[in-house]
Amino acid sequence: MNRTRWIVAGVLAVVALIVTVLVIVWVTRDADPREFVAERYLRAKSLDQVNDGLAFTATAAPAAVAAAIAKATDPRDKRNTGDNHYLRFDRDLIAVSPHAGGSLILVDSFANGTRRHHSHVNSYGWNSGSAAGDYRGGGSDSGGK
């Protein structure tokens, strides 16, 4: 083989390696939790909650639904309080609870979800991370001077 063919073969090998790595990363990446829930569970707009809490339903029990979501999406943390299951993600919080013999899946932003489910998730050390979100007012009588 002459030098030009070696160079072409080397470039093709590098390109093939890069493509292989990209395909492996793409195939093995974790699913987006919002997309996963929206694709696999029944949307229940009538059960939506204030502040963009999107509701979905499933026929399976909450533990099974939460396990399926967790397996596909790799949450940062997962906890349960009785039959209520909570999955924590960087930007989202998913709560799965009993509903009509199956499950209600509530998808929230992390900040809204921690406020909505504060009585459960605060005990896990999950909070919205926003001091303003927990601010209740008050202050000095002198206008802060």
Side-chain angles (χ1 to χ4, degrees), residues 62-63 65-67 69-70 73 75-89 92-98 104-108 110 113-124 126:
V65 172
I69 295 169
T73 59
R76 291 186 73 189
D77 198 2
K78 56 186 175 182
R79 303 287 178 99
N80 70 294
T81 303
D83 286 336
N84 297 319
H85 295 260
Y86 303 94
L87 304 173
R88 176 185 179 170
F89 300 90
D92 299 307
L93 188 140
I94 295 178
V96 184
S97 58
L104 172 66
I105 306 155
L106 191 60
V107 180
D108 272 302
F110 184 72
T114 53
R115 285 189 290 271
R116 185 182 319 282
H117 305 286
H118 68 89
S119 62
H120 297 289
V121 301
N122 281 354
S123 66
Y124 308 147
W126 301 355

Side-chain angles (χ1 to χ4, degrees), residues 4 28 45 74 83 99 105 121 132 145:
T4 304
T28 61
K45 288 184 180 184
D74 194 28
D83 286 336
H99 176 75
I105 306 155
V121 301
K145 297 180 183 178

Side-chain angles (χ1 to χ4, degrees), residues 24-53:
I24 290 170
V25 167
W26 179 258
V27 169
T28 61
R29 71 179 171 82
D30 295 321
D32 175 81
R34 285 179 179 266
E35 288 178 15
F36 180 83
V37 169
E39 289 171 0
R40 284 164 182 80
Y41 300 104
L42 183 64
R43 182 75 168 93
K45 288 184 180 184
S46 64
L47 299 174
D48 281 356
Q49 302 292 307
V50 297
N51 296 325
D52 300 320

